[in-house]
Amino acid sequence: MARMSMIEALRSAMDVKLADDPAVIVFGEDVGYFGGVFRCTAGLQAKYGEERVFDTPINESAIVGIAIGMAAQGMRPCVEMQFADYVFPAYDQITQEAARLRHRSNEQFTCPMVVRMPTGGGIFGGQTHSQSPEALFTHVSGLKVVIPSTPYDAKGLLIAAIEDPDPVIFLEPKRIYNGPFYGDHSGKSVPWSQHAAGEVPEDHYVVPLGKADVRRAGSDLTILTYGTMVYVAEAAVKAAGVDAEIIDLRTLLPLDLETVRASVEKTGRCIVVHEATRTSGFGAELIAEVEEVCFWHLKAPILRVTGWDVPYPHAQEWDYFPGPERIERVIHKVMED
Amino acid sequence: MTGVKLSFPHPPARPDQVPDFSDIVIPAAGELPVPPLDLTAEQSRAMAVGLIRVLDDDGNAVGPWADYLGDLSADDLRRGLRDMLRMRAIDRRMMNAQRQGKTSFYLLCSGEEAIGCGFQRQLEKGDMNFPTYRQQTLLIGADYPLEMLIGQLYSNDLDPLKGRQLPIMHSARDYGYFSISGNLGTQYVQAVGWAMACALRGNGQIAAGWIGDGATASNDFHSALLSASTYQPPVVLNVVNNQWAISTYTGVARGKGETYAARALGYGVPALRVDGNDYLAVIAVSRWAIERARKGFGPALIEWFTYRVAAHSSSDDPSAYRAKDEGASWPLGDPVVRLKDHLVARGEWSEERHVQAEAEMLAEVTAVQKQVEAHGTFVDPQPISPAEIFRGVYAELPEHLRRQRQEMGH
């Protein structure tokens, strides 16, 4: 065991897989010699050579297109989009090529690849360095969509994603790359090295895709969330003084509906929290699913706390961000019913 | 008023006009040399703006590229002729079947038969094409079983893809034919990725990307050329310039560029422009580019200069946008007739034998077609289980898809 930041845990996952499977290959903008703008792949090229870890032109469509060609031949590419906001030039390759290859070829060709991308805001990145595009991928059959919230999960989920036979969109909440974040931007941030969740095994282990984690057991209400918002929800629950159950979904597609259902049946109240904009967001899907399977157990309407339906602002970042106060207000509202 | 005006390219002739190909410069056969395999982009300039031709107007094979094919036997050429005739018979029978409602969609490759038939015969097992929808000829050249090819068109139980893809969007891994996408251009860069994997694994195999002149305007054409230039993988990048992208004249995609082949030069990728209706030129240049890739000299781009004689597809009516009988006026002739004339001139074929071969191909295709139709057509369907659509979305059926399949009643 070692204390690792999420960045280090992700790097460790790639390191483990590069070492144990010659088919694994890592590439993207700046990921080779320099090791990525977030330093996630630092040192990997020096260790494994530039045939395994290399830089690409600024051409996201080519990064994913090349990965598809490689994956179809049996390699295991794990590529990086520098920011999730940059994935859109590759959207066609991901959604209509990678996601569909197995099905349309009746399994003659498959696409075991991972597209990693830093997601979300909270770093003053402005409109094009802060977006949370998960719903644009959960709508696409053939993809799996993963978003971790701890270094331990990040490593175990990334190893599972690289070993998965299908294409995986791996969203990395960049606000918690270096430590948890409780929604108070003026407060001091605690690095993962001083946090229990920074304990990460150095060797191979897997956190299975499609399994949610009950982060906090409780009986008053269920909060469904993922990524950075797990911590913000924890802060809100503490401030609100309620006994809430917090579920970290970890994998959005496929969704662990059984864990969700068991929790909401127990608590009878549910709120959904995500940072992405509201309309047609993943929260809508969660609410629909919960309503379908738990309607008769519900004591109150399911509500959601999300980013506003506006582009992510720069100077007013914390007005956009669904902080603990907003979640707390909604908790009280749901508890009143 | 500034006098500044936009340019909107137009074809030389529209439906009410006489076909006009007078702008096309056709160099004599045999003029261009066979370059060394380590050809650079700069050195390839004459070949990228010229036109490599082997068969002259009298059907003789002339020049350095003819010499390059020195060991080619008459049997090889007769096999090429048979491939093209088989393709024509399939096109004829299947277009009829579409008109009879037996299949929803069909797409002819009339006039372009030499390109895929010739190219495929130069590949080896394990090499992979990333074709467009008009390279059925690659399957013919790979001796793909007609039952599977026609079964795919009928979406019946002989369809290896179980009805999931539009007819003509084949996938045949064992025959070097990647799964076709309807999104144009996307697979050009995937071919580069496949070729990079070949190089990384050292398996001695190569990839071939295919794209039409219209889709060279798509982002991924440029992505592929840049990637191929950067990493130098064993890939042959083919551009089939057949003059029309549905109703859009080739000049719209080309802009003011001189040739599609010349585009590769700016990326540092050597390029050759070839008479795509000349089977001998096709096999000569294919053989050269494939050997170059396999020996580690990197990518090359080939522009196949040809003409789309038929409609874009069974859903298209070209009489609405181009001159009547334009195909018959195409100055580079018909690839089948040209190869036939060459073999006849060599004393290796005859008009009688040709007529007989055409009849043989039609009979063979018709027999297979009937046998496949017994497994169901759109008129007389024998449905594939609806549960089939849930298979293969993922390696393992996830819970939510299991629930949806049950909801459907399966």
Side-chain angles (χ1 to χ4, degrees), chain A residues 25 55-56 59 61 65-66 69-70 72-73 75 92-93 96-97 102-109 142-143 165-166 257, chain B residues 160 164-165 171-173 178-181 183 186-187 189-190 193-194 197-198 200-201 220 223 231 389 391-392 394-395 403:
Chain A
I25 187 163
D55 292 320
T56 65
N59 187 329
S61 185
I66 286 169
M70 287 181 170
Q73 221 205 38
M75 298 192 80
D92 190 25
Q93 289 283 359
Q96 307 207 76
E97 303 289 325
R102 176 187 293 276
H103 188 254
R104 77 170 189 233
S105 70
N106 197 15
E107 313 206 49
Q108 290 177 5
F109 298 95
L143 296 180
D166 292 308
L257 192 59
Chain B
R164 292 172 188 166
Q165 279 266 59
S171 176
R173 183 171 187 140
F178 197 76
S179 162
I180 288 192
S181 167
N183 296 22
T186 48
Q187 300 196 294
V189 68
Q190 294 167 18
W194 184 284
C198 292
L200 290 168
R201 301 181 130 193
D220 283 321
S223 301
Y231 302 113
I389 64 174
R391 276 192 53 239
Y394 297 92
R403 289 195 304 268

Short mmCIF file of all heavy atoms in Angstrom, two decimals, chain A residues 25 55-56 59 61 65-66 69-70 72-73 75 92-93 96-97 102-109 142-143 165-166 257, chain B residues 160 164-165 171-173 178-181 183 186-187 189-190 193-194 197-198 200-201 220 223 231 389 391-392 394-395 403:
data_model
loop_
_atom_site.label_atom_id
_atom_site.label_comp_id
_atom_site.label_asym_id
_atom_site.label_seq_id
_atom_site.Cartn_x
_atom_site.Cartn_y
_atom_site.Cartn_z
N ILE A 25 -1.33 0.01 -24.82
CA ILE A 25 -0.58 1.10 -25.43
C ILE A 25 -1.26 2.40 -25.03
O ILE A 25 -2.48 2.45 -24.91
CB ILE A 25 -0.52 0.87 -26.96
CG1 ILE A 25 0.38 1.85 -27.65
CG2 ILE A 25 -1.87 0.87 -27.61
CD1 ILE A 25 0.76 1.37 -29.05
N ASP A 55 3.35 10.62 -28.08
CA ASP A 55 2.62 11.86 -28.35
C ASP A 55 1.89 11.78 -29.70
O ASP A 55 2.37 11.11 -30.62
CB ASP A 55 3.60 13.04 -28.42
CG ASP A 55 4.22 13.35 -27.07
OD1 ASP A 55 3.49 13.28 -26.07
OD2 ASP A 55 5.43 13.64 -27.03
N THR A 56 0.79 12.53 -29.77
CA THR A 56 0.04 12.58 -31.03
C THR A 56 -0.14 14.02 -31.46
O THR A 56 -0.01 14.94 -30.65
CB THR A 56 -1.37 11.98 -30.86
OG1 THR A 56 -2.09 12.82 -29.94
CG2 THR A 56 -1.32 10.56 -30.33
N ASN A 59 -5.29 16.21 -32.65
CA ASN A 59 -6.32 15.73 -33.57
C ASN A 59 -7.06 14.60 -32.86
O ASN A 59 -6.71 13.43 -32.98
CB ASN A 59 -5.65 15.25 -34.87
CG ASN A 59 -6.67 14.90 -35.92
OD1 ASN A 59 -7.78 14.45 -35.62
ND2 ASN A 59 -6.31 15.10 -37.17
N SER A 61 -9.93 13.26 -33.22
CA SER A 61 -10.56 12.27 -34.09
C SER A 61 -9.54 11.21 -34.52
O SER A 61 -9.85 10.02 -34.58
CB SER A 61 -11.16 12.97 -35.31
OG SER A 61 -11.86 12.07 -36.09
N GLY A 65 -9.64 7.38 -33.71
CA GLY A 65 -9.69 6.56 -34.92
C GLY A 65 -8.54 5.56 -34.96
O GLY A 65 -8.73 4.38 -35.28
N ILE A 66 -7.36 6.01 -34.61
CA ILE A 66 -6.19 5.12 -34.56
C ILE A 66 -6.41 4.05 -33.48
O ILE A 66 -6.15 2.87 -33.71
CB ILE A 66 -4.91 5.94 -34.28
CG1 ILE A 66 -4.50 6.72 -35.53
CG2 ILE A 66 -3.78 5.04 -33.81
CD1 ILE A 66 -3.41 7.76 -35.30
N GLY A 69 -8.65 1.33 -34.78
CA GLY A 69 -7.95 0.42 -35.70
C GLY A 69 -7.06 -0.55 -34.93
O GLY A 69 -6.99 -1.73 -35.23
N MET A 70 -6.38 -0.02 -33.92
CA MET A 70 -5.50 -0.87 -33.11
C MET A 70 -6.30 -1.88 -32.28
O MET A 70 -5.96 -3.06 -32.22
CB MET A 70 -4.68 0.00 -32.14
CG MET A 70 -3.60 0.79 -32.81
SD MET A 70 -2.71 1.73 -31.54
CE MET A 70 -1.33 2.32 -32.50
N ALA A 72 -9.25 -3.04 -32.82
CA ALA A 72 -9.90 -4.05 -33.67
C ALA A 72 -8.94 -5.18 -34.00
O ALA A 72 -9.36 -6.30 -34.26
CB ALA A 72 -10.43 -3.40 -34.95
N GLN A 73 -7.65 -4.86 -33.99
CA GLN A 73 -6.67 -5.91 -34.27
C GLN A 73 -6.25 -6.65 -33.02
O GLN A 73 -5.45 -7.59 -33.08
CB GLN A 73 -5.44 -5.29 -34.94
CG GLN A 73 -4.94 -6.16 -36.06
CD GLN A 73 -3.48 -5.94 -36.35
OE1 GLN A 73 -2.66 -5.73 -35.47
NE2 GLN A 73 -3.16 -6.01 -37.63
N MET A 75 -5.17 -5.02 -29.97
CA MET A 75 -4.39 -4.27 -28.98
C MET A 75 -5.35 -3.65 -27.96
O MET A 75 -6.56 -3.73 -28.11
CB MET A 75 -3.53 -3.21 -29.67
CG MET A 75 -2.53 -3.84 -30.63
SD MET A 75 -1.29 -2.70 -31.22
CE MET A 75 -0.18 -2.69 -29.82
N ASP A 92 -17.75 11.52 -33.15
CA ASP A 92 -18.20 10.63 -34.21
C ASP A 92 -17.47 9.29 -34.12
O ASP A 92 -18.09 8.22 -34.17
CB ASP A 92 -17.93 11.31 -35.56
CG ASP A 92 -18.55 10.59 -36.74
OD1 ASP A 92 -19.55 9.88 -36.54
OD2 ASP A 92 -18.04 10.76 -37.86
N GLN A 93 -16.16 9.34 -33.97
CA GLN A 93 -15.38 8.10 -33.88
C GLN A 93 -15.80 7.27 -32.66
O GLN A 93 -15.88 6.05 -32.73
CB GLN A 93 -13.87 8.42 -33.79
CG GLN A 93 -13.26 8.96 -35.07
CD GLN A 93 -13.00 7.89 -36.12
OE1 GLN A 93 -13.25 6.70 -35.91
NE2 GLN A 93 -12.51 8.29 -37.27
N GLN A 96 -20.16 6.46 -33.07
CA GLN A 96 -20.68 5.73 -34.23
C GLN A 96 -19.73 4.67 -34.75
O GLN A 96 -20.10 3.88 -35.61
CB GLN A 96 -21.03 6.71 -35.35
CG GLN A 96 -21.94 7.82 -34.85
CD GLN A 96 -22.79 8.38 -35.94
OE1 GLN A 96 -23.76 7.76 -36.36
NE2 GLN A 96 -22.43 9.53 -36.41
N GLU A 97 -18.50 4.71 -34.27
CA GLU A 97 -17.53 3.71 -34.72
C GLU A 97 -17.17 2.76 -33.56
O GLU A 97 -17.54 1.60 -33.60
CB GLU A 97 -16.29 4.41 -35.26
CG GLU A 97 -16.58 5.39 -36.40
CD GLU A 97 -16.97 4.71 -37.69
OE1 GLU A 97 -16.45 3.62 -37.98
OE2 GLU A 97 -17.81 5.26 -38.42
N ARG A 102 -18.62 -3.80 -32.53
CA ARG A 102 -18.93 -5.18 -32.16
C ARG A 102 -20.30 -5.58 -32.71
O ARG A 102 -20.44 -6.64 -33.33
CB ARG A 102 -18.93 -5.33 -30.64
CG ARG A 102 -19.35 -6.72 -30.17
CD ARG A 102 -19.51 -6.80 -28.66
NE ARG A 102 -18.25 -6.66 -27.95
CZ ARG A 102 -17.39 -7.65 -27.72
NH1 ARG A 102 -17.66 -8.87 -28.16
NH2 ARG A 102 -16.28 -7.45 -27.05
N HIS A 103 -21.28 -4.74 -32.50
CA HIS A 103 -22.64 -5.10 -32.87
C HIS A 103 -22.80 -5.17 -34.39
O HIS A 103 -23.31 -6.15 -34.92
CB HIS A 103 -23.61 -4.07 -32.28
CG HIS A 103 -25.06 -4.44 -32.42
ND1 HIS A 103 -25.89 -3.82 -33.32
CD2 HIS A 103 -25.82 -5.35 -31.78
CE1 HIS A 103 -27.09 -4.33 -33.21
NE2 HIS A 103 -27.08 -5.26 -32.28
N ARG A 104 -22.34 -4.15 -35.08
CA ARG A 104 -22.62 -4.12 -36.52
C ARG A 104 -21.84 -5.18 -37.28
O ARG A 104 -22.26 -5.61 -38.35
CB ARG A 104 -22.35 -2.72 -37.08
CG ARG A 104 -20.90 -2.38 -37.28
CD ARG A 104 -20.76 -1.08 -38.07
NE ARG A 104 -19.39 -0.87 -38.42
CZ ARG A 104 -18.68 0.23 -38.17
NH1 ARG A 104 -19.24 1.26 -37.60
NH2 ARG A 104 -17.44 0.32 -38.53
N SER A 105 -20.71 -5.62 -36.73
CA SER A 105 -19.95 -6.67 -37.42
C SER A 105 -20.29 -8.06 -36.89
O SER A 105 -19.62 -9.03 -37.24
CB SER A 105 -18.44 -6.41 -37.26
OG SER A 105 -18.02 -6.65 -35.93
N ASN A 106 -21.33 -8.14 -36.06
CA ASN A 106 -21.70 -9.40 -35.43
C ASN A 106 -20.49 -10.05 -34.79
O ASN A 106 -20.23 -11.24 -34.94
CB ASN A 106 -22.38 -10.36 -36.43
CG ASN A 106 -23.12 -11.49 -35.73
OD1 ASN A 106 -23.39 -11.43 -34.53
ND2 ASN A 106 -23.45 -12.53 -36.47
N GLU A 107 -19.72 -9.23 -34.09
CA GLU A 107 -18.59 -9.66 -33.27
C GLU A 107 -17.39 -10.15 -34.07
O GLU A 107 -16.48 -10.78 -33.52
CB GLU A 107 -19.02 -10.67 -32.19
CG GLU A 107 -20.28 -10.21 -31.45
CD GLU A 107 -20.42 -10.75 -30.05
OE1 GLU A 107 -19.47 -10.67 -29.29
OE2 GLU A 107 -21.53 -11.25 -29.74
N GLN A 108 -17.36 -9.84 -35.38
CA GLN A 108 -16.12 -10.13 -36.13
C GLN A 108 -15.01 -9.20 -35.67
O GLN A 108 -13.84 -9.56 -35.68
CB GLN A 108 -16.34 -9.90 -37.63
CG GLN A 108 -17.23 -10.92 -38.30
CD GLN A 108 -17.45 -10.58 -39.77
OE1 GLN A 108 -16.88 -9.65 -40.31
NE2 GLN A 108 -18.30 -11.33 -40.42
N PHE A 109 -15.42 -7.95 -35.36
CA PHE A 109 -14.46 -6.96 -34.87
C PHE A 109 -14.96 -6.42 -33.53
O PHE A 109 -16.17 -6.21 -33.36
CB PHE A 109 -14.33 -5.80 -35.86
CG PHE A 109 -13.82 -6.19 -37.20
CD1 PHE A 109 -14.70 -6.47 -38.25
CD2 PHE A 109 -12.45 -6.28 -37.45
CE1 PHE A 109 -14.22 -6.83 -39.51
CE2 PHE A 109 -11.97 -6.63 -38.70
CZ PHE A 109 -12.86 -6.91 -39.74
N GLY A 142 -23.51 0.64 -26.45
CA GLY A 142 -22.22 0.07 -26.85
C GLY A 142 -21.06 0.62 -26.05
O GLY A 142 -19.98 0.04 -26.06
N LEU A 143 -21.28 1.75 -25.36
CA LEU A 143 -20.22 2.32 -24.53
C LEU A 143 -20.43 1.94 -23.07
O LEU A 143 -21.55 1.64 -22.65
CB LEU A 143 -20.23 3.85 -24.62
CG LEU A 143 -19.92 4.49 -25.96
CD1 LEU A 143 -19.99 6.02 -25.83
CD2 LEU A 143 -18.55 4.07 -26.49
N PRO A 165 -13.66 -5.86 -22.42
CA PRO A 165 -13.67 -6.15 -23.87
C PRO A 165 -14.38 -5.09 -24.71
O PRO A 165 -14.39 -5.18 -25.93
CB PRO A 165 -14.40 -7.49 -23.95
CG PRO A 165 -15.23 -7.56 -22.71
CD PRO A 165 -14.50 -6.80 -21.65
N ASP A 166 -14.98 -4.08 -24.06
CA ASP A 166 -15.74 -3.07 -24.79
C ASP A 166 -15.15 -1.67 -24.60
O ASP A 166 -14.39 -1.46 -23.66
CB ASP A 166 -17.20 -3.09 -24.32
CG ASP A 166 -17.90 -4.38 -24.72
OD1 ASP A 166 -17.85 -4.71 -25.92
OD2 ASP A 166 -18.47 -5.06 -23.85
N LEU A 257 -28.42 -0.51 -10.81
CA LEU A 257 -29.77 -0.15 -10.38
C LEU A 257 -30.17 -0.88 -9.10
O LEU A 257 -30.97 -0.36 -8.31
CB LEU A 257 -30.76 -0.46 -11.52
CG LEU A 257 -32.16 0.11 -11.35
CD1 LEU A 257 -32.14 1.63 -11.22
CD2 LEU A 257 -33.04 -0.30 -12.53
N PRO B 160 -24.04 -12.89 -42.57
CA PRO B 160 -23.14 -13.01 -41.42
C PRO B 160 -23.39 -11.92 -40.38
O PRO B 160 -22.98 -12.06 -39.24
CB PRO B 160 -21.74 -12.84 -42.03
CG PRO B 160 -21.92 -13.04 -43.50
CD PRO B 160 -23.33 -12.66 -43.83
N ARG B 164 -28.19 -6.59 -39.25
CA ARG B 164 -27.96 -5.37 -38.47
C ARG B 164 -27.53 -4.20 -39.33
O ARG B 164 -27.64 -3.05 -38.91
CB ARG B 164 -26.89 -5.62 -37.42
CG ARG B 164 -27.36 -6.58 -36.36
CD ARG B 164 -26.22 -6.96 -35.44
NE ARG B 164 -26.66 -8.02 -34.55
CZ ARG B 164 -25.85 -8.74 -33.83
NH1 ARG B 164 -24.55 -8.53 -33.90
NH2 ARG B 164 -26.30 -9.69 -33.06
N GLN B 165 -26.97 -4.47 -40.48
CA GLN B 165 -26.42 -3.40 -41.31
C GLN B 165 -27.19 -3.28 -42.62
O GLN B 165 -27.71 -4.27 -43.17
CB GLN B 165 -24.96 -3.70 -41.64
CG GLN B 165 -23.98 -3.34 -40.53
CD GLN B 165 -23.40 -1.96 -40.72
OE1 GLN B 165 -24.12 -0.96 -40.76
NE2 GLN B 165 -22.08 -1.88 -40.82
N SER B 171 -19.12 -7.05 -43.81
CA SER B 171 -18.00 -7.15 -42.88
C SER B 171 -17.49 -8.57 -43.01
O SER B 171 -18.26 -9.51 -42.87
CB SER B 171 -18.47 -6.88 -41.45
OG SER B 171 -17.41 -7.07 -40.55
N ALA B 172 -16.23 -8.73 -43.32
CA ALA B 172 -15.70 -10.07 -43.56
C ALA B 172 -14.25 -10.12 -43.12
O ALA B 172 -13.32 -10.01 -43.92
CB ALA B 172 -15.84 -10.44 -45.04
N ARG B 173 -14.06 -10.28 -41.82
CA ARG B 173 -12.71 -10.22 -41.26
C ARG B 173 -11.75 -11.22 -41.93
O ARG B 173 -10.63 -10.88 -42.28
CB ARG B 173 -12.76 -10.47 -39.75
CG ARG B 173 -11.40 -10.33 -39.11
CD ARG B 173 -11.41 -10.36 -37.61
NE ARG B 173 -10.06 -10.04 -37.15
CZ ARG B 173 -9.77 -9.27 -36.12
NH1 ARG B 173 -10.73 -8.74 -35.40
NH2 ARG B 173 -8.52 -9.02 -35.79
N PHE B 178 -12.92 -4.89 -43.58
CA PHE B 178 -13.36 -4.33 -42.31
C PHE B 178 -14.83 -3.96 -42.39
O PHE B 178 -15.35 -3.65 -43.46
CB PHE B 178 -12.52 -3.09 -41.98
CG PHE B 178 -12.61 -2.66 -40.54
CD1 PHE B 178 -11.93 -3.35 -39.55
CD2 PHE B 178 -13.36 -1.55 -40.17
CE1 PHE B 178 -11.99 -2.96 -38.22
CE2 PHE B 178 -13.43 -1.15 -38.84
CZ PHE B 178 -12.75 -1.85 -37.86
N SER B 179 -15.48 -3.95 -41.23
CA SER B 179 -16.90 -3.60 -41.12
C SER B 179 -17.16 -2.18 -41.63
O SER B 179 -16.56 -1.22 -41.14
CB SER B 179 -17.30 -3.73 -39.65
OG SER B 179 -18.50 -3.05 -39.41
N ILE B 180 -18.06 -2.06 -42.59
CA ILE B 180 -18.30 -0.75 -43.23
C ILE B 180 -19.14 0.15 -42.34
O ILE B 180 -20.10 -0.27 -41.71
CB ILE B 180 -18.98 -0.95 -44.59
CG1 ILE B 180 -17.95 -1.53 -45.57
CG2 ILE B 180 -19.56 0.36 -45.12
CD1 ILE B 180 -18.39 -1.52 -46.99
N SER B 181 -18.76 1.42 -42.33
CA SER B 181 -19.52 2.44 -41.61
C SER B 181 -20.21 3.34 -42.63
O SER B 181 -19.66 3.62 -43.69
CB SER B 181 -18.58 3.28 -40.76
OG SER B 181 -19.23 4.43 -40.30
N ASN B 183 -20.72 6.39 -42.04
CA ASN B 183 -20.15 7.73 -41.86
C ASN B 183 -18.88 7.84 -42.68
O ASN B 183 -17.90 7.16 -42.41
CB ASN B 183 -19.83 7.96 -40.39
CG ASN B 183 -21.07 7.95 -39.54
OD1 ASN B 183 -22.09 7.39 -39.94
ND2 ASN B 183 -21.01 8.58 -38.41
N THR B 186 -14.48 8.24 -41.77
CA THR B 186 -14.05 7.82 -40.43
C THR B 186 -13.06 6.66 -40.47
O THR B 186 -12.19 6.55 -39.62
CB THR B 186 -15.26 7.39 -39.58
OG1 THR B 186 -16.06 6.50 -40.36
CG2 THR B 186 -16.10 8.57 -39.17
N GLN B 187 -13.22 5.80 -41.45
CA GLN B 187 -12.42 4.57 -41.42
C GLN B 187 -11.05 4.75 -42.07
O GLN B 187 -10.20 3.87 -41.95
CB GLN B 187 -13.21 3.44 -42.06
CG GLN B 187 -14.51 3.24 -41.26
CD GLN B 187 -15.17 1.94 -41.55
OE1 GLN B 187 -15.63 1.70 -42.66
NE2 GLN B 187 -15.23 1.08 -40.55
N VAL B 189 -8.82 6.84 -41.10
CA VAL B 189 -7.85 6.96 -40.01
C VAL B 189 -7.79 5.66 -39.20
O VAL B 189 -6.75 5.31 -38.65
CB VAL B 189 -8.16 8.20 -39.15
CG1 VAL B 189 -9.45 8.07 -38.39
CG2 VAL B 189 -7.02 8.51 -38.19
N GLN B 190 -8.87 4.91 -39.17
CA GLN B 190 -8.84 3.60 -38.51
C GLN B 190 -7.86 2.66 -39.25
O GLN B 190 -7.18 1.84 -38.62
CB GLN B 190 -10.23 2.99 -38.45
CG GLN B 190 -11.19 3.77 -37.56
CD GLN B 190 -12.64 3.35 -37.74
OE1 GLN B 190 -12.94 2.30 -38.27
NE2 GLN B 190 -13.55 4.21 -37.30
N GLY B 193 -4.56 3.32 -37.95
CA GLY B 193 -4.39 2.68 -36.64
C GLY B 193 -4.12 1.20 -36.77
O GLY B 193 -3.26 0.64 -36.08
N TRP B 194 -4.87 0.56 -37.65
CA TRP B 194 -4.66 -0.89 -37.87
C TRP B 194 -3.23 -1.13 -38.37
O TRP B 194 -2.52 -2.03 -37.90
CB TRP B 194 -5.68 -1.41 -38.89
CG TRP B 194 -5.60 -2.89 -39.13
CD1 TRP B 194 -4.67 -3.56 -39.86
CD2 TRP B 194 -6.52 -3.88 -38.63
NE1 TRP B 194 -4.94 -4.91 -39.85
CE2 TRP B 194 -6.06 -5.14 -39.12
CE3 TRP B 194 -7.67 -3.84 -37.84
CZ2 TRP B 194 -6.72 -6.33 -38.84
CZ3 TRP B 194 -8.32 -5.04 -37.56
CH2 TRP B 194 -7.85 -6.27 -38.05
N ALA B 197 -0.76 -0.85 -35.68
CA ALA B 197 -0.74 -2.08 -34.88
C ALA B 197 0.06 -3.16 -35.59
O ALA B 197 0.81 -3.90 -34.95
CB ALA B 197 -2.17 -2.55 -34.60
N CYS B 198 -0.06 -3.26 -36.91
CA CYS B 198 0.73 -4.24 -37.68
C CYS B 198 2.22 -4.00 -37.45
O CYS B 198 2.99 -4.94 -37.22
CB CYS B 198 0.43 -4.13 -39.18
SG CYS B 198 -1.23 -4.62 -39.65
N LEU B 200 3.65 -2.33 -34.93
CA LEU B 200 4.03 -2.54 -33.54
C LEU B 200 4.14 -4.03 -33.21
O LEU B 200 4.98 -4.45 -32.42
CB LEU B 200 3.00 -1.87 -32.60
CG LEU B 200 3.02 -0.34 -32.60
CD1 LEU B 200 1.79 0.21 -31.88
CD2 LEU B 200 4.29 0.19 -31.94
N ARG B 201 3.27 -4.81 -33.83
CA ARG B 201 3.29 -6.25 -33.55
C ARG B 201 4.27 -6.99 -34.44
O ARG B 201 4.56 -8.15 -34.21
CB ARG B 201 1.89 -6.84 -33.76
CG ARG B 201 0.86 -6.20 -32.89
CD ARG B 201 -0.48 -6.83 -33.13
NE ARG B 201 -1.07 -7.19 -31.86
CZ ARG B 201 -2.12 -7.99 -31.71
NH1 ARG B 201 -2.68 -8.54 -32.76
NH2 ARG B 201 -2.59 -8.26 -30.53
N ASP B 220 -11.54 13.36 -41.39
CA ASP B 220 -10.71 12.20 -41.14
C ASP B 220 -9.79 11.85 -42.32
O ASP B 220 -8.81 11.12 -42.14
CB ASP B 220 -11.57 11.00 -40.74
CG ASP B 220 -12.02 11.13 -39.28
OD1 ASP B 220 -11.20 11.57 -38.46
OD2 ASP B 220 -13.18 10.82 -38.97
N SER B 223 -6.94 13.80 -41.15
CA SER B 223 -6.43 13.13 -39.95
C SER B 223 -5.57 11.92 -40.34
O SER B 223 -4.51 11.69 -39.78
CB SER B 223 -7.58 12.64 -39.07
OG SER B 223 -8.40 13.70 -38.69
N TYR B 231 3.61 8.80 -38.37
CA TYR B 231 4.09 7.52 -37.83
C TYR B 231 4.61 6.54 -38.88
O TYR B 231 5.15 5.50 -38.53
CB TYR B 231 2.96 6.86 -37.01
CG TYR B 231 2.48 7.74 -35.87
CD1 TYR B 231 1.19 8.29 -35.88
CD2 TYR B 231 3.30 8.04 -34.79
CE1 TYR B 231 0.74 9.09 -34.85
CE2 TYR B 231 2.86 8.85 -33.76
CZ TYR B 231 1.58 9.37 -33.79
OH TYR B 231 1.14 10.18 -32.78
N ILE B 389 -31.08 -8.51 -31.91
CA ILE B 389 -30.57 -7.13 -31.85
C ILE B 389 -29.90 -6.81 -30.52
O ILE B 389 -29.12 -5.88 -30.43
CB ILE B 389 -31.67 -6.07 -32.14
CG1 ILE B 389 -32.79 -6.09 -31.08
CG2 ILE B 389 -32.25 -6.25 -33.54
CD1 ILE B 389 -33.81 -4.98 -31.24
N ARG B 391 -27.94 -8.95 -28.98
CA ARG B 391 -26.66 -9.68 -28.91
C ARG B 391 -25.54 -8.82 -29.47
O ARG B 391 -25.69 -8.15 -30.48
CB ARG B 391 -26.74 -10.98 -29.71
CG ARG B 391 -27.35 -12.14 -28.94
CD ARG B 391 -27.14 -13.47 -29.67
NE ARG B 391 -25.74 -13.67 -29.97
CZ ARG B 391 -25.24 -13.85 -31.19
NH1 ARG B 391 -26.01 -13.87 -32.23
NH2 ARG B 391 -23.94 -14.02 -31.36
N GLY B 392 -24.39 -8.86 -28.79
CA GLY B 392 -23.21 -8.21 -29.35
C GLY B 392 -23.18 -6.71 -29.22
O GLY B 392 -22.34 -6.05 -29.83
N TYR B 394 -22.68 -5.48 -26.29
CA TYR B 394 -21.53 -5.60 -25.40
C TYR B 394 -21.09 -7.06 -25.44
O TYR B 394 -21.85 -7.94 -25.86
CB TYR B 394 -21.90 -5.23 -23.96
CG TYR B 394 -22.33 -3.79 -23.80
CD1 TYR B 394 -23.67 -3.44 -23.88
CD2 TYR B 394 -21.40 -2.78 -23.56
CE1 TYR B 394 -24.07 -2.11 -23.74
CE2 TYR B 394 -21.79 -1.46 -23.40
CZ TYR B 394 -23.13 -1.13 -23.50
OH TYR B 394 -23.52 0.17 -23.35
N ALA B 395 -19.88 -7.30 -24.93
CA ALA B 395 -19.39 -8.68 -24.88
C ALA B 395 -20.34 -9.54 -24.03
O ALA B 395 -20.63 -10.68 -24.37
CB ALA B 395 -17.97 -8.70 -24.30
N ARG B 403 -33.31 -6.61 -19.29
CA ARG B 403 -34.66 -6.15 -18.96
C ARG B 403 -35.41 -5.68 -20.21
O ARG B 403 -36.59 -5.95 -20.40
CB ARG B 403 -34.61 -5.01 -17.92
CG ARG B 403 -34.21 -5.45 -16.52
CD ARG B 403 -34.54 -4.37 -15.49
NE ARG B 403 -33.93 -3.08 -15.81
CZ ARG B 403 -32.72 -2.68 -15.36
NH1 ARG B 403 -32.02 -3.48 -14.56
NH2 ARG B 403 -32.24 -1.51 -15.68
#
